[in-house]
Amino acid sequence: TGPPSQEAKMRRVGIVGYGSLGKYLANEVLRRGAELGMELAFVWNRSADALDDPDLPKGVALHDLADFVSRKADIIIEVAHPCISEQYGQAFLQTADFMIGSPTALASEDLYSKLKEAASEHGLYVPSGAFWGAGDVQKMSFSGSLSALTVTMKKHPGSMKLQPPLDEKLAACKDIPGEHVLYDGPVRGLCPLAPNNVNTMAAAAVASGDILGFDKTRAVLISDNSLDLHVIEVEARGSPGFVVHTVRMNPAAVGAVTGTATFASFFGSLAAAGGRGRGVHMC
């Protein structure tokens, strides 16, 4: 598709979070916005110093997130921390579409319910991120044929930011060669223990819909100090006897929470999000 016509309305994008992923998204909107019909409405970051960036056009930085309405964004994307959705998600949805880059926040039944209720005029968008085959899993859920879904994530211990008691379990095995299973159970139980690491699993739980959701989608988190990439295995089972098994290997520097290929996936989701009306949408 070519650039939008002069009559076409540019979609105004608000970015909440200006870490590595937020910077990448902002740069892509600035670089490709005219082509894709997008422009930056604002960029916010918890540490305001990060916004003193010569790459950001004058007037884009937003220093008080409570003032987001004044920037008239059409879509707001959170790539900061799950707490942003707890504090501002409902308010965002009153005036704009909202793309939740930290879907581990949706493991809270109360918050997920509130956001779905708030998405009565605008849409709540969940990016697939590193979850390969999200659309196919969603189709199986809609048809009622999805019987089981397992997401296994393998990372170098330096790429994991875990909460107690998983951090202690990681510390005990991080220097020992081989694979070490840190968690094996429902996605809902893992999300608060690894809120920055398992957004892929949360996206899988959302894609599985009511048929499995956060309580019946299985999460397996594995530490392996030999890895210089993120490995994500997805196994979807249907009935009768249908099985799909995928393995995604995403190069990542040791210590990086997000693999390099996931950056591009997020921007693709942002470009595809918006305009689908109310409710919850995968993108």
Side-chain angles (χ1 to χ4, degrees):
T1 59
S5 67
Q6 291 186 341
E7 294 78 15
K9 181 180 182 294
M10 297 288 280
R11 282 196 307 151
R12 291 177 56 77
V13 178
I15 298 176
V16 180
Y18 199 57
S20 298
L21 180 53
K23 288 179 182 180
Y24 174 87
L25 294 174
N27 288 337
E28 287 298 288
V29 172
L30 291 171
R31 186 173 71 89
R32 301 180 59 192
E35 167 196 351
L36 298 172
M38 296 188 292
E39 63 183 9
L40 275 182
F42 70 83
V43 175
W44 174 88
N45 194 66
R46 182 175 57 181
S47 172
D49 291 346
L51 300 176
D52 295 329
D53 185 341
D55 291 337
L56 283 179
K58 186 178 179 180
V60 165
L62 179 66
H63 294 285
D64 185 351
L65 190 53
D67 291 336
F68 75 89
V69 176
S70 68
R71 299 300 181 91
K72 298 180 179 179
D74 297 302
I75 184 166
I76 297 171
I77 175 170
E78 171 276 313
V79 284
H81 190 275
C83 69
I84 295 295
S85 295
E86 298 169 11
Q87 297 170 9
Y88 289 96
Q90 291 169 276
F92 289 160
L93 284 164
Q94 297 303 309
T95 62
D97 290 326
F98 176 39
M99 181 171 156
I100 179 169
S102 303
T104 52
L106 302 180
S108 164
E109 289 184 272
D110 180 60
L111 177 63
Y112 197 5
S113 177
K114 287 178 178 177
L115 291 180
K116 284 191 284 188
E117 185 177 342
S120 57
E121 294 185 21
H122 300 282
L124 174 64
Y125 291 83
V126 181
S128 56
F131 178 48
W132 196 260
D136 296 298
V137 168
Q138 200 169 31
K139 289 174 186 176
M140 290 178 69
S141 174
F142 286 155
S143 70
S145 64
L146 184 65
S147 61
L149 181 63
T150 299
V151 182
T152 301
M153 183 178 292
K154 303 176 183 180
K155 292 185 176 183
H156 187 281
S159 295
M160 296 188 185
K161 296 182 179 179
L162 307 179
Q163 301 299 312
L166 280 194
D167 60 343
E168 298 167 7
K169 197 170 183 179
L170 177 65
C173 68
K174 67 179 183 178
D175 296 322
I176 303 173
E179 294 188 352
H180 303 275
V181 178
L182 302 176
Y183 181 93
D184 185 343
V187 170
R188 192 184 305 281
L190 180 57
C191 286
L193 300 177
N196 299 106
N197 284 113
V198 297
N199 286 304
T200 297
M201 295 173 170
V206 172
S208 74
D210 294 336
I211 200 167
L212 294 177
F214 281 85
D215 290 314
K216 295 181 181 178
T217 299
R218 179 185 172 200
V220 182
L221 182 63
I222 295 175
S223 167
D224 184 343
N225 62 15
S226 71
L227 293 175
D228 58 359
L229 41 73
H230 297 171
V231 181
I232 297 173
E233 300 181 16
V234 177
E235 183 181 275
R237 290 183 174 270
S239 51
F242 178 84
V243 181
V244 174
H245 183 225
T246 64
V247 180
R248 182 182 190 269
M249 296 183 179
N250 186 2
V254 173
V257 173
T258 304
T260 53
T262 304
F263 281 51
S265 175
F266 260 85
F267 184 70
S269 292
L270 176 59
R276 296 193 222 168
R278 65 184 184 180
V280 181
H281 310 281
M282 296 295 298
C283 60

